[in-house]
Amino acid sequence: MRIRFRTAAVVIASSAIAATLFFGSLKNGNAQTATRYLPEYTADGQLLLPKDWHHWVYLGSPLTPNALNDGHANFPEFHNVYIEPGSYEIYMKTGQFPEGTIFFKELQLTLPGENQDGSRTEPSGRGYFPGPFNGADVTVKDSKRFAETNGWGYFNFNHHEPKAPMAKVKAKGECAYCHIASAKKDEVWTQFYPLLDK
């Protein structure tokens, strides 16, 4: 009986100490920030397909279907955009994207349209609905590595499935010029993502 009592007392005391330390750290603002996932490259400079992006911070899904772009949209899909959580946490504190920030844009086709505008009718109403995945684009901030493109590197991991395991950086004329010309903040389309544009 005494052994059980001592064991219970130790467990309760340990739990109380852990709770005190945890809530004390929150009170003092010393809680640890999220561990960052940073870009990984091959020896020849190709970016490896980032890991676990579906667990990152989801920002939004702009849509530019073929049916609304004369049948020739540059990206005829939903653009499901995620940001690496540690970078997002720093951005929310500082208002700046830190070096090593990764944006992952997973492309997702719309289901086949039933109307001239490419829309279809589902139980929720008429609209555009997500279909199969269709590759991905990734953007990485590295002011030294990508100095020629204003500090950001742009990579395509196929515009079809499966996604490529690695990708070479795109030339300035392929991706960067559009971001430089039209993105709202630091070459990022923050105007499309309310979480970043507060």
Side-chain angles (χ1 to χ4, degrees):
M1 193 67 156
R2 289 181 180 175
I3 294 173
R4 287 184 187 170
F5 178 76
R6 286 180 185 168
T7 302
V10 169
V11 169
I12 291 170
S14 298
S15 298
I17 291 169
T20 301
L21 291 174
F22 174 74
F23 288 110
S25 69
L26 291 180
K27 182 179 177 183
N28 296 327
N30 295 327
Q32 284 188 331
T33 56
T35 301
R36 294 182 69 197
Y37 172 87
L38 296 173
E40 299 176 280
Y41 299 92
T42 63
D44 64 349
Q46 295 190 69
L47 180 69
L48 296 177
L49 184 70
K51 300 177 179 70
D52 298 324
W53 68 87
H54 283 142
H55 299 286
W56 292 6
V57 177
Y58 170 72
L59 296 175
S61 295
L63 172 64
T64 53
N66 279 327
L68 299 180
N69 291 277
D70 298 321
H72 302 288
N74 289 332
F75 300 98
E77 310 103 339
F78 287 96
H79 309 172
N80 302 323
V81 178
Y82 302 83
I83 184 173
E84 186 275 321
S87 301
Y88 174 74
E89 186 174 325
I90 293 171
Y91 177 79
M92 295 306 290
K93 290 177 181 176
T94 67
Q96 303 296 322
F97 296 110
E99 294 291 313
T101 295
I102 307 172
F103 285 98
F104 194 102
K105 178 171 69 175
E106 185 167 40
L107 307 173
Q108 188 172 19
L109 295 167
T110 59
L111 290 176
E114 301 169 335
N115 305 297
Q116 284 189 335
D117 64 359
S119 66
R120 58 185 289 120
T121 302
E122 294 290 345
S124 60
R126 183 170 165 177
Y128 298 89
F129 297 87
F133 290 121
N134 200 46
D137 291 314
V138 174
T139 308
V140 175
K141 184 169 185 177
D142 188 322
S143 299
K144 293 181 180 178
R145 185 183 289 261
F146 308 119
E148 293 182 6
T149 49
N150 282 18
W152 292 87
Y154 302 86
F155 301 84
N156 170 245
F157 290 85
N158 292 339
H159 281 176
H160 57 77
E161 292 294 312
K163 296 170 181 63
M166 61 191 72
K168 295 180 179 179
V169 68
K170 292 290 186 180
K172 185 173 183 176
E174 293 186 67
C175 297
Y177 78 96
C178 194
H179 285 254
I180 292 168
S182 303
K184 184 175 180 180
K185 182 175 183 179
D186 192 11
E187 323 307 344
V188 178
W189 305 90
T190 57
Q191 64 264 45
F192 300 141
Y193 309 117
L195 285 179
L196 301 181
D197 200 34
K198 294 178 181 179

